[in-house]
Amino acid sequence: MQRGRFITFEGGEGTGKSTQARRLAERLERAGIATLVTREPGGTALGEDIRALILKDRPQDPLTELLLFAAARAEHMTAVIRPALDDGTWVISDRFIDSTRVYQGKLYAIEPELIALLEKYTVGHEIPDLTLILDLPPDAGLERAASRGTLSRYDAERIETHETLRQGFLEIATSEPDRCVLIDGNLPIESVATAVWHAVTERLLANAV
Ligand SMILES: Nc1ncnc2c1ncn2[C@@H]1O[C@H](COP(=O)(O)OP(=O)(O)OP(=O)(O)O)[C@@H](O)[C@H]1O
Ligand SMILES: [Mg+2]
């Protein structure tokens, strides 16, 4: 049996990751490919507990967050992602290693060596086959949030933070072009889904079926 493919969606807050992860899974299923959608932090009962724990009581030390996320990821890989891939199921994760690199590494300035070491022991060789990085200018995110009536998440004070995150994801897309495809998230949902499908077809589907 052919091993499943591992796809991740990355990008800042509100860029459309969850929307596009669902859309892609539906499209793969329609193409006859068994697909599992999962997310980080989370993806297992323990991981979801860790996620809830962090959201409830935001740790003061960024290292606490990094280590808790790493624990959740170890479990996620062993209990969910690796078995699914072994089974021939395609796995789509809503956020993964690049969010750690950008949030903990770039925003909270934890040493890249530590992040890389944890990545090595949790993920090992099973890095994603394809990472779709959704790019959206912070002001477009602000508009999106405003139209949804949840402006607080995107308040003006945090624009700088969103720009830092955006640059972090852009740097990854540039430095790892074999794994990553940058997708313009500032288009209607349908158009983004078409760009995502094009990337998947070109990078993974041509030699999978
Ligand atoms: N291309 C788009 N154009 C306009 N609105 C969109 C688009 N994609 C998603 N949205 C809307 O923007 C909001 C955020 O989308 P979504 O939840 O998919 O983003 P996300 O990246 O998963 O966000 P988060 O980081 O909060 O998990 C949702 O209300 C969604 O319906
Ligand atoms: Mg989401």
Side-chain angles (χ1 to χ4, degrees), residues 12-19 95 144 148 153 185 187-189 192:
E13 284 161 45
T15 50
K17 301 177 297 298
S18 304
T19 303
R95 291 197 186 278
R144 215 175 259 183
R148 230 184 7 179
R153 241 177 40 159
L187 295 169
I189 291 176
V192 180

Side-chain angles (χ1 to χ4, degrees), residues 57-188:
D57 261 325
R58 203 73 203 271
Q60 290 189 23
D61 189 332
L63 194 56
T64 312
E65 241 176 39
L66 176 74
L67 296 172
L68 286 171
F69 285 162
R73 179 165 300 146
E75 196 63 15
H76 195 197
M77 285 305 301
T78 300
V80 174
I81 296 178
R82 200 173 296 124
L85 294 173
D86 286 347
D87 217 32
T89 300
W90 287 38
V91 175
I92 300 175
S93 187
D94 184 347
R95 291 197 186 278
F96 197 59
I97 50 175
D98 301 301
S99 287
T100 307
R101 293 183 192 176
V102 170
Y103 283 79
Q104 276 67 48
K106 203 170 159 76
L107 197 59
Y108 299 124
I110 293 177
E111 295 82 354
E113 291 78 11
L114 176 57
I115 290 176
L117 195 65
L118 289 170
E119 200 176 293
K120 181 179 158 194
Y121 281 95
T122 52
V123 181
H125 298 297
E126 274 135 336
I127 62 158
D129 297 295
L130 176 64
T131 295
L132 300 151
I133 297 182
L134 298 180
D135 182 54
L136 191 69
D139 57 344
L142 181 68
E143 255 172 57
R144 215 175 259 183
S147 70
R148 230 184 7 179
T150 55
L151 196 57
S152 60
R153 241 177 40 159
Y154 267 100
D155 63 26
E157 275 177 320
R158 292 184 58 210
I159 281 280
E160 212 174 277
T161 300
H162 288 286
E163 196 51 51
T164 303
L165 295 171
R166 183 188 189 198
Q167 289 310 319
F169 285 114
L170 288 174
E171 280 164 24
I172 292 173
T174 305
S175 65
E176 292 184 53
D178 288 347
R179 172 172 68 91
C180 302
V181 174
L182 190 67
I183 304 276
D184 184 359
N186 200 12
L187 295 169

Side-chain angles (χ1 to χ4, degrees), residues 6-36:
F6 186 16
I7 301 171
T8 55
F9 279 90
E10 298 278 7
E13 284 161 45
T15 50
K17 301 177 297 298
S18 304
T19 303
Q20 295 300 329
R22 275 194 306 272
R23 295 290 298 256
L24 176 60
E26 284 162 13
R27 195 136 188 195
L28 286 169
E29 290 280 353
R30 280 206 303 277
I33 296 171
T35 306
L36 175 80

